[in-house]
């Protein structure tokens, strides 16, 4: 039975790597933010706006407990998921957890290429985003570092780079 949970900062590539990894392994892929928005019929930014971050963290924890029970899956969780409640220990008790580790430079580059709205980065200039990434990464790193595996992420700016990373991750995990 395959159950892999990818953790790491916003912009690390959890979804970018998670989808092709799941496809290569022939299992389902779940993005926790997507799952939350389907279950509550609200986008993550709307949930933040309506319930505040505290309200979001409660829902996130509850939804993690649903998704982490699924079998034969790759799950990507939100950047903050491992850093609240006992979420990281809970994930470690059920899954092969992987910390996708990237430098603040790579994270900032990915975030600037990124698609979705991220409530925690809203209304920040590129300089402010970089400063925020540096500071909060330092606070979050100890939680991420509890993952069973750590995989170094380089700049994912082409399909080729993504494929290379997926292959290297599979090699590292022996799957
Ligand atoms: C968050 C990361 C987001 C999302 C929410 C909060 C965080 O997920 O869960 O906006 O606290 O880092 P991604 O890491 O997929 O962007």
């Amino acid at each position: 039975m395959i159950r892999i949970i990818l953790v790491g900062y916003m912009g690390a590539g959890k979804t970018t790597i998670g989808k092709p990894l799941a496809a290569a392994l022939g299992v389902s892929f779940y993005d926790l933010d997507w799952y939350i928005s389907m279950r509550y019929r609200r986008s993550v930014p709307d949930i933040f706006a309506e319930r505040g971050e505290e309200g979001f963290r409660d829902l996130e924890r509850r939804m993690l407990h649903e998704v982490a029970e699924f079998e034969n899956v790759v799950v990507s969780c939100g950047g903050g998921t491992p850093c609240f409640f006992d979420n990281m220990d809970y994930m470690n008790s059920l899954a092969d957890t992987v910390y996708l580790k990237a430098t603040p430079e790579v994270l900032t580059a990915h975030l600037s290429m990124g698609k979705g709205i991220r409530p925690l980065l809203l209304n920040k200039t590129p300089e402010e985003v970089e400063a925020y990434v540096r500071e909060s990464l330092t606070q979050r790193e100890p939680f991420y570092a509890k993952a069973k595996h750590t995989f170094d992420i380089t700049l994912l700016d082409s399909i080729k780079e993504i494929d290379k990373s997926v292959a290297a991750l599979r090699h590292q995990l022996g799957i």
Side-chain angles (χ1 to χ4, degrees), residues 48-163:
F48 260 75
E50 286 165 18
R51 303 178 184 232
E53 181 171 356
E54 217 177 302
F56 173 75
R57 296 303 173 193
D58 264 345
L59 297 191
E60 183 182 47
R61 176 175 173 278
R62 245 180 288 157
M63 294 303 99
L64 174 67
H65 281 240
E66 290 190 9
V67 171
E69 302 274 339
F70 296 167
E71 298 193 342
N72 294 316
V73 281
V74 173
V75 174
S76 72
C77 55
T81 316
C83 314
F84 291 85
F85 312 107
D86 61 348
N87 289 348
M88 195 65 230
D89 292 334
Y90 171 72
M91 290 189 266
N92 276 335
S93 74
L94 286 175
D96 271 326
T97 49
V98 183
Y99 170 28
L100 299 187
K101 183 173 180 166
T103 61
E105 290 76 18
V106 167
L107 295 170
T108 307
H110 286 171
L111 289 168
S112 73
M113 315 189 304
K115 9 103 233 186
I117 296 170
R118 290 181 157 103
L120 296 174
L121 304 179
L122 217 57
N123 303 322
K124 285 188 171 56
T125 65
E127 294 73 31
E128 286 169 343
V129 168
E130 183 155 0
Y132 180 83
V133 169
R134 278 181 196 286
E135 197 189 310
S136 53
L137 183 59
T138 310
Q139 290 165 3
R140 288 177 166 196
E141 182 92 40
F143 295 96
Y144 299 149
K146 288 169 108 182
K148 293 178 187 171
H149 309 271
T150 296
F151 179 75
D152 287 314
I153 288 287
T154 49
L155 190 65
L156 301 172
D157 58 355
S158 66
I159 299 285
K160 203 172 137 215
E161 290 306 317
I162 294 167
D163 286 348

